[in-house]
Amino acid sequence: MTDTSQTAAAKKPRVSCEFFPPRGDSGLAGLTRVVDKLAAFGPDFYSCTYGAGGSTRDGTHDTIRHLLSLNLDAAPHLSIGADEKDSIFALLDDYRDMGVRRIVALRGDVPSGIGRARNTHNAESLVRWIREHSGDHFHLEVAAYPEVHPEAQSPEDDLEFFARKVDAGADSAITQYFYNPHAFYDFADRAAARGLTLPLIPGIMPITNFDGIVRFSKNCGADVPRWVLKRLESLEHDEPGIRAFGIEVVTRLCEDLLRWDVPGLHFYTLNRWGATNAVCRNLGLDQRQ
Ligand code: FAD
């Protein structure tokens, strides 16, 4: 494997790590241990997901409060789902008072049976509402889809709707995960040709087990290359083998992206530190301060 330590250290890519709200105080204590393990890479911020429809409203809030109490930069996700404007404004005020400076603004996918309606607005509306209510207080991250959002009519439409979110006031974007970097390069080129200059941060999903990655990728429209699936399949009963292979694949993906000069990496940690830690160490990100 190539040694990219020097390159990564010199360029200081932005690093962020995503969590979901853990359950209860013991869950938060567990998250503190994860944060301790990731601290060597000096993540610029930690984000926490939000279940569209409000299902994790308290959990996201408590996790953000906990991360802030550890003196970390914490960014709540806010998935508009079918939430009312007033309840979103109240949450924005609360986050501002807590010291939050960054929000990941999303439409979300409201699970069936939650809320009165499904996805009554898109992320563009949420970005507009946040700017209307909170001005420039928050740095706004939005989602981008190098392999095209599953509901989009066409790549052109998807890019156009992405551009509208940017025009509405997004500062930077984090992508859905992918394992083929050329999907990202193609999207970044098309975005640049459309005049979009905001930083595009690739979302990186560590591979730690076969079933999880297959199920998750099917739901969110991420493509897992055939050779990766075949290798994972053949390692099905070899957990250490899957972990080692996953770390190698994801390290090589990140090396490729850093060589291409991406402005940062956003790790979907799934509240675990092992794989993210191994990939960041391989990339020499512990030398970036
Ligand atoms: P949008 O930007 O609104 O786009 C959704 C779809 O609608 C796209 O197909 C788009 O092309 C289309 N569209 C947009 N605007 C219009 C318009 N004006 N007219 C017609 N079509 C339009 N989900 C959660 O529930 N909670 C989370 O915490 C969460 N975190 C995420 C973090 C990241 C970095 C990413 C990449 C995704 C995350 N998701 C999360 C998943 C995300 O909510 C889903 O992918 C969701 O389906 C789309 O959200 P969006 O913000 O991209 O929506």
Side-chain angles (χ1 to χ4, degrees), residues 4-18:
T4 48
S5 325
Q6 294 306 319
T7 334
K11 285 182 184 152
K12 293 193 178 173
R14 175 185 116 171
V15 173
S16 49
C17 296
E18 180 171 314

Side-chain angles (χ1 to χ4, degrees), residues 49-50 77 79 106-109 122-123 145 149 158 165 268:
T49 60
Y50 180 93
H77 294 206
S79 318
L106 304 143
R107 182 196 74 177
D109 293 312
N122 49 52
Y145 300 85
H149 186 268
D158 211 24
K165 289 194 281 200
Y268 296 106

Side-chain angles (χ1 to χ4, degrees), residues 18-19 21 47-53 55-56 60 76-81 104-111 119 121-126 141-146 148-162 164-165 173-177 201 203 219-220 266 268:
E18 180 171 314
F19 298 139
S47 78
C48 180
T49 60
Y50 180 93
S55 55
T56 69
T60 303
H77 294 206
L78 190 47
S79 318
I80 194 169
V104 184
L106 304 143
R107 182 196 74 177
D109 293 312
V110 183
N119 297 327
H121 300 280
N122 49 52
E124 178 196 344
S125 313
L126 178 61
E141 310 271 351
V142 289
Y145 300 85
V148 185
H149 186 268
E151 290 164 36
Q153 298 292 316
S154 68
E156 293 76 20
D157 269 11
D158 211 24
L159 181 64
E160 203 43 47
F161 292 132
F162 175 67
R164 287 204 208 170
K165 289 194 281 200
I174 301 172
T175 75
Q176 184 57 275
Y177 69 87
I201 314 293
N219 288 342
C220 70
H266 177 82
Y268 296 106

